[in-house]
Amino acid sequence: MESATKRRFTFESEGETLVGSLFLPETKSAGAVIAVGPLTSVKEQAAGTYAQAMAERGYAALAFDYRYFGESGGRPRQFENPDANIEDIKNAATALLADERLNDAPLFGLGICFGAGPMVRAVAEDLRFRAFAGVAGVYTDNAKTKARMGDAYQATIERGRAAERNWRETGTTETIPAVAPDGGDVAMPLREAYEFYGTPRGGVPSYVNGYAVQSLAHSLPFDARSAADAIEVPVLIVHSERALTPDLAHAFYAAVRSSKQELWLESQGQIDFYDDPKLIAPAADAVATFLR
């Protein structure tokens, strides 16, 4: 295991300045990894944890704040837009490969939780990426989302669209909490999500417990499943039967036609993948071995 050096890394994406943390190994890197994390998260949380773990295993690894979050620019704040995430990932790739320390390095994509969706779509669309790895990934399937939600699906989309119209007309952002102790009208109703984001366990100074309601019009219909049909590079799925949506992870893996591997670990749930060394170490070991 190597020690990792952390450097501030900024780049432009669609007219906004984005801020990241670039973790560099002691020795020449085996490749460049872009790591993206869960819904509403910032680079100091799960994405940064895995980026550092990858640097300790010999890879240069970038975690960054998407537009609208953390130290990065963009308004409205706390706006989850997977299509914008994909653009940001591609622009991060351009900036990383232009860095003289890394411009001959093979490029890889790593997505944690909801971040696996935008990342696998980016990897499937952008030929510069050589492989994809997902850790506790949420591989949304729009057809299944509609079937599960029934009439509530369209009503939720309309709520997001109304909030977006209000933002465009007045400049006022309607927000709800990302997490709350007892759930309710929040972005992530899981109690374990509150125990991470809503407490000192996962709370960091740059994290805001908020979610722009207009995000619903963009995040709810987002489909990661289609990337399984399109991706042509090797795929690694790391998951747990007790993490979120193991059924979607199994279905996504089954649909992938390129070279693929999977690792199923034992977890308490979803959120311990973010900060429990007993999960991070084997997951990062698997990703490092797979990418080599």
Side-chain angles (χ1 to χ4, degrees), residues 255-290:
V256 169
R257 295 190 294 266
S258 59
S259 171
K260 57 186 177 180
Q261 297 177 29
E262 60 183 336
L263 173 65
W264 288 79
L265 298 171
E266 292 288 332
S267 72
Q268 296 297 312
Q270 175 75 5
I271 307 298
D272 47 334
F273 270 100
Y274 300 0
D275 64 352
D276 186 344
K278 294 192 295 292
L279 289 168
I280 295 164
D285 286 344
V287 174
T289 300
F290 168 74

Side-chain angles (χ1 to χ4, degrees), residues 202-225:
V204 295
S206 61
Y207 180 73
V208 175
N209 181 13
Y211 178 82
V213 171
Q214 66 198 74
S215 308
L216 295 169
H218 300 267
S219 294
L220 190 61
F222 178 68
D223 184 86
R225 165 63 184 80

